[in-house]
Amino acid sequence: QVQLEESGGGLVQPGGSLRLSCAASGFTASNAAIAWYRQAPGKEREGVSCISSGGGRAYYADSVKGRFSITRDDAKNTVYLQMNSLKPEDTAVYYCARDSISACEEFEGAWWRADYWGQGTQVTVSS
């Protein structure tokens, strides 16, 4: 059965770092495009990052470029989101999702295209 499970969220001060994990089961993550989305209260769901199948090319929203890094560990079948220089505006519930057509193209607005989602993990950036 296809399943995604996020972990690693928590409370961090501005300027701090967190690493989120997305453990995949029931499929091989390297054969899929895996994206991270986030949603804050009162805001629309926002695409954050995506890693492509195969070679693992990384894509980022402008709001996180240079601060976040997405990677994949094929041995663990897990995708990570390393978040550095965190800002209060990064506060949100973060979700990982599998793209149904295994593509990162237009991922920022393509949440509707995901066929499987994790349960979400809360990230709070506050003093």
Side-chain angles (χ1 to χ4, degrees):
Q1 182 179 4
V2 172
Q3 191 169 355
L4 298 169
E5 183 176 4
E6 302 104 330
S7 61
L11 174 65
V12 65
Q13 291 185 314
S17 298
L18 285 173
R19 188 182 72 164
L20 306 183
S21 298
C22 175
S25 59
F27 73 103
T28 301
S30 63
N31 291 335
I34 305 294
W36 287 94
Y37 294 89
R38 66 186 182 187
Q39 189 163 25
K43 295 185 177 180
E44 295 184 354
R45 196 174 314 181
E46 176 187 19
V48 176
S49 185
C50 186
I51 186 165
S52 67
S53 62
R57 187 184 180 105
Y59 300 80
Y60 302 97
D62 288 343
S63 60
V64 306
K65 192 171 297 183
R67 299 188 297 122
F68 290 11
S69 179
I70 189 169
T71 58
R72 189 181 68 230
D73 186 333
D74 292 340
K76 295 183 179 294
N77 207 34
T78 297
V79 173
Y80 301 95
L81 185 68
Q82 178 67 45
M83 306 186 295
N84 299 323
S85 302
L86 284 162
K87 305 174 181 180
E89 50 262 47
D90 295 318
T91 296
V93 178
Y94 284 70
Y95 302 88
C96 66
R98 188 180 80 169
D99 192 282
S100 64
I101 63 169
S102 300
C104 285
E105 286 80 2
E106 306 295 332
F107 83 94
E108 292 181 66
W111 58 267
W112 53 268
R113 204 168 68 201
D115 56 0
Y116 293 94
W117 293 81
Q119 80 286 353
T121 186
Q122 176 72 47
V123 172
T124 302
V125 184
S126 176
S127 298

